[in-house]
Amino acid sequence: MVLQGGSCRLFRKCSNVAFKNGFNVEESLFRFYMALPQLSPQEVTTILQANEFTKEFTEPGSVKSYDSNQLASNNPIEDTRSEAQCLITKGIFDGHGGSACAQVISKRLFHYITACLLPPKTLKQYLDSYRINRNVDLIQTFNDTGEFVVEMKDIYHNSFMNLLQDLARSNSTNEIDVGAAMEKAFLRLDDDLSNEALLNLNKKDASRTLAVAMSGSVAAVAHINGPHLHVAGVGDCQAVLGVYSEKDGWSTKLMTVEHNTDNISEVERILSEHPPNEKSTVIKMDRLLGQLAPLRSLGDFRYKWSKNMMKEVVVPFLGETAIPQNYYTPPYLTAKPEIKYHRLTPQDKFLIIGSDGLWDLMSPLQAVKLVGEHMSGKITLRPLKLPRKHMKLSEINQILLQRKEGLKKKPLDSNAATHLLRNALGGTDYGIDHGRLSQLLTLPSEVVRVFRDDITVTVVYMDSEFLRNCPL
C-alpha cells in the first residue's frame, strides 16, 4: 500500500508540470472533465467550507485565534489535524499507506508532549489525582470529535501511564528544554506504536495495532508559550511564519525543514548510516528504498524493524511483498524531529501549518501574501470595533482608512484556511477561475489523486499587542 500511495504522489507532481506546460495525458483527462456540468458558486463554497473550524481565545496570550480546514483527495482522507491547549500546541499530520497512523498520532502526540514538558513533581501530583479521578486530563482539545474503540483506548492508556511513571521517576530538574521534550515525545510515541503492535500479535486487536504500525505519518507540530515558538517537523509538512513590516511588506520565515530527496543534507545523512555498497538502493527514484517519499516519519515500521522481525511478524499478515527490496541494514527511517525555535515579535502576524497537498500548489510566500490580504479584507466582514478605549481621532481615522482599503479585498470566506484552499485550487493571476475550481472539486475518485493530494491547513493568528508588551 505504501508503494501504491507513493506512486500516486509521484504522478501528481508530474501532472502539475504537465498541466502548466499544456501537454501530456493528464491534461487530456482534465479537459474531458472540464466538459462536465459545473458546480454553482454556492455549491463550491459549501464543499470548501464543510470542514472549516475557527477558535478564538479570550484570555490574554500570544495566540489570538486560529482557522483550520481540510479537503480530502483520498477516501478516507489520510491527513489529520489537531489543536489543544496546555501551552497552546497545534499540529498537522499527513498520513500515507492508509489513514490509521495519522489518526492515532493526532490524538496521542499532544498528550505525550505535554507529559514530557511537566516537571517530575507535577507529574506525580497528576498521577495521584488520576488514580482518584480518571477524567482528569492534561490538555484541552478543540474540534476533536473522534474516539478510539474501547480495546484500543485501553492499550493506548496503558502505554501513556507507563510514560508518565517513567517520567515521574526520572532525575530531571524543573528546567524544561521544550525542544528536547518535543523530541522525546515523538520518539517515545513511535516506540510505543512498535511495542503495541508486537505485544498484541496473538490478541484479537493484532490487525489494528499492526495496521497502525505499517502505515505512517509525517507531522509538523507548533508549541507556543508566550513569545516562544518551537516547531517540530518530521517529513514534508511545512510551517511558515507570516512576517509584516511597514518598509518591506510581507515576508516568510520557514519553521520546518522538508525531509525528502530535495534536501541534500538529509540524503547524505541517510547514506552515511548504511554501507557504501547500498548507495544506489537506499535512495532510488527519489524515494527511500524506491518506495517512500518522506525520509522521516512516525510509524512505517516496515522500514525500521529488523529483517528477521519482518519475516516473523509482518509476512504472516501481509505476505513476502511487505519486505521492501534491498532491505539489508535497517532501520532506514527515523521519527526524530528537527526542532526550530523562534522568539515571536509584533511583526510575526500568523503561522501557517500545512500538509504537502497545499505546498504542491503554492509557495510559502504566496500563502503568506494570501493570508495577509485576507486579514485586510476580513475586517470588512465584521462590525467596526475599536481595539482599545480612549483612542486618538488620528488613530481611529487610520483604522477607518484601513477598513476602506479592505473593502477592495473583501474575501468570500471568513476562514483563512478556506481562503487558502480556494486559491490553491482555483487561483490565477486574474482572480479565482471558477471552472477550474469546480472541476477539481468534482473529479472522480479514481483520478483525483493525479491532480491533487489531501490538503490540511491551520492558520494561527498572533496577538501583536501582547507580543509588543511581552517581557524579554
Side-chain angles (χ1 to χ4, degrees):
M1 289 180 69
V2 171
L3 176 59
Q4 182 181 5
S7 298
C8 288
R9 181 171 294 182
L10 177 64
F11 288 143
R12 188 189 72 253
K13 289 185 176 179
C14 291
S15 69
N16 289 340
V17 175
F19 182 79
K20 291 174 183 175
N21 292 335
F23 67 95
N24 215 327
V25 176
E26 285 82 0
E27 186 191 2
S28 298
L29 280 171
F30 193 82
R31 288 181 182 276
F32 170 76
Y33 290 113
M34 283 288 285
L36 296 175
Q38 286 190 9
L39 298 172
S40 69
Q42 183 55 50
E43 288 172 326
V44 165
T45 295
T46 299
I47 293 172
L48 291 177
Q49 295 181 353
N51 297 312
E52 69 180 13
F53 180 79
T54 295
K55 172 68 178 178
E56 295 188 359
F57 298 93
T58 55
E59 65 274 18
S62 51
V63 176
K64 186 164 51 177
S65 64
Y66 74 85
D67 293 337
S68 67
N69 203 345
Q70 286 186 303
L71 182 68
S73 172
N74 294 290
N75 186 17
I77 187 171
E78 295 184 354
D79 281 9
T80 58
R81 40 126 297 278
S82 187
E83 303 86 29
Q85 184 168 9
C86 174
L87 295 172
I88 305 296
T89 309
K90 307 179 188 301
I92 297 288
F93 310 90
D94 180 359
H96 47 262
S99 60
C101 187
Q103 290 175 350
V104 169
I105 294 296
S106 70
K107 293 184 70 66
R108 298 178 67 187
L109 183 57
F110 289 172
H111 289 83
Y112 277 61
I113 291 173
T114 303
C116 291
L117 284 169
L118 296 178
K121 182 178 179 180
T122 307
L123 280 168
K124 290 174 184 175
Q125 292 172 345
Y126 172 75
L127 282 168
D128 290 340
S129 300
Y130 191 84
R131 292 185 183 103
I132 299 171
N133 180 10
R134 285 191 60 168
N135 293 322
V136 177
D137 209 342
L138 288 173
I139 65 173
Q140 176 189 359
T141 57
F142 309 112
N143 194 31
D144 183 9
T145 57
E147 270 293 341
F148 292 127
V149 296
V150 174
E151 294 82 4
M152 301 301 289
K153 192 173 183 178
D154 289 341
I155 290 172
Y156 297 153
H157 171 262
N158 290 336
S159 294
F160 186 61
M161 294 306 293
N162 288 335
L163 167 66
L164 292 177
Q165 290 162 2
D166 290 345
L167 292 171
R169 286 193 296 265
S170 72
N171 296 319
S172 61
T173 66
N174 288 334
E175 290 294 323
I176 299 297
D177 182 331
V178 176
M182 294 179 80
E183 179 181 310
K184 181 188 291 185
F186 271 72
L187 293 176
R188 176 60 181 255
L189 178 54
D190 198 54
D191 285 344
D192 283 351
L193 295 178
S194 173
N195 293 331
E196 288 158 3
L198 296 175
L199 294 174
N200 286 279
L201 283 175
N202 298 319
K203 300 178 182 178
K204 64 178 181 179
D205 297 309
S207 61
R208 287 175 174 166
T209 53
L210 190 61
V212 173
M214 287 297 98
S215 61
S217 178
V218 297
V221 176
H223 179 273
I224 306 166
N225 181 20
H228 306 294
L229 169 65
H230 291 81
V231 178
V234 169
D236 51 10
C237 293
Q238 288 193 68
V240 181
L241 264 177
V243 184
Y244 184 79
S245 74
E246 294 290 342
K247 179 182 177 182
D248 302 317
W250 289 104
S251 62
T252 64
K253 180 176 180 60
L254 298 181
M255 292 301 300
T256 46
V257 176
E258 288 188 282
H259 299 128
N260 55 30
T261 54
D262 293 332
N263 183 338
I264 301 303
S265 63
E266 183 70 2
V267 171
E268 291 174 348
R269 177 191 67 79
I270 291 176
L271 292 177
S272 72
E273 294 173 353
H274 301 278
N277 61 353
E278 288 190 67
K279 188 174 182 179
S280 62
T281 58
V282 172
I283 303 293
K284 191 175 181 180
M285 297 184 295
D286 289 331
R287 278 165 158 63
L288 185 70
L289 297 177
Q291 295 188 358
L292 191 67
L295 302 183
R296 298 192 196 192
S297 74
L298 293 130
D300 281 319
F301 288 97
R302 71 175 74 215
Y303 305 102
K304 296 175 181 176
W305 285 338
S306 70
K307 195 164 187 176
N308 284 339
M309 190 176 294
M310 290 289 290
K311 288 179 178 178
E312 294 173 9
V313 174
V314 181
V315 169
F317 283 87
L318 302 179
E320 292 287 345
T321 56
I323 303 178
Q325 288 188 335
N326 305 305
Y327 197 75
Y328 305 121
T329 56
Y332 290 93
L333 197 61
T334 180
K336 182 179 179 180
E338 283 199 61
I339 313 291
K340 282 198 172 188
Y341 169 77
H342 175 72
R343 193 188 192 285
L344 295 167
T345 72
Q347 285 70 48
D348 300 318
K349 302 301 182 183
F350 51 81
L351 178 72
I352 304 172
I353 315 175
S355 61
D356 72 325
L358 175 70
W359 309 115
D360 285 342
L361 300 173
M362 64 174 59
S363 69
L365 184 57
Q366 285 175 313
V368 164
K369 286 183 174 180
L370 282 166
V371 175
E373 291 174 358
H374 185 265
M375 285 177 65
S376 299
K378 187 177 177 179
I379 61 174
T380 65
L381 300 178
R382 299 177 178 178
L384 176 61
K385 183 179 180 181
L386 297 181
R388 60 185 184 276
K389 296 179 180 179
H390 310 302
M391 293 184 68
K392 297 177 182 179
L393 286 176
S394 60
E395 293 174 325
I396 296 174
N397 184 58
Q398 184 62 34
I399 290 175
L400 292 173
L401 290 174
Q402 291 174 350
R403 192 175 178 87
K404 182 179 179 181
E405 187 65 25
L407 283 170
K408 302 174 184 177
K409 306 172 184 177
K410 185 175 180 179
L412 292 171
D413 308 291
S414 61
N415 184 298
T418 308
H419 183 68
L420 285 175
L421 287 179
R422 189 183 294 273
N423 280 272
L425 299 180
T428 71
D429 292 339
Y430 309 101
I432 301 294
D433 181 339
H434 175 74
R436 176 178 170 81
L437 178 57
S438 170
Q439 296 309 322
L440 280 170
L441 291 175
T442 54
L443 289 169
S445 58
E446 60 268 21
V447 299
V448 64
R449 277 279 285 169
V450 175
F451 297 98
R452 62 177 177 85
D453 197 357
D454 298 327
I455 304 175
T456 299
V457 190
T458 298
V459 181
V460 185
Y461 290 100
M462 308 304 171
D463 189 324
S464 298
E465 285 300 314
F466 178 88
L467 293 172
R468 186 171 289 111
N469 299 305
C470 203
L472 293 173

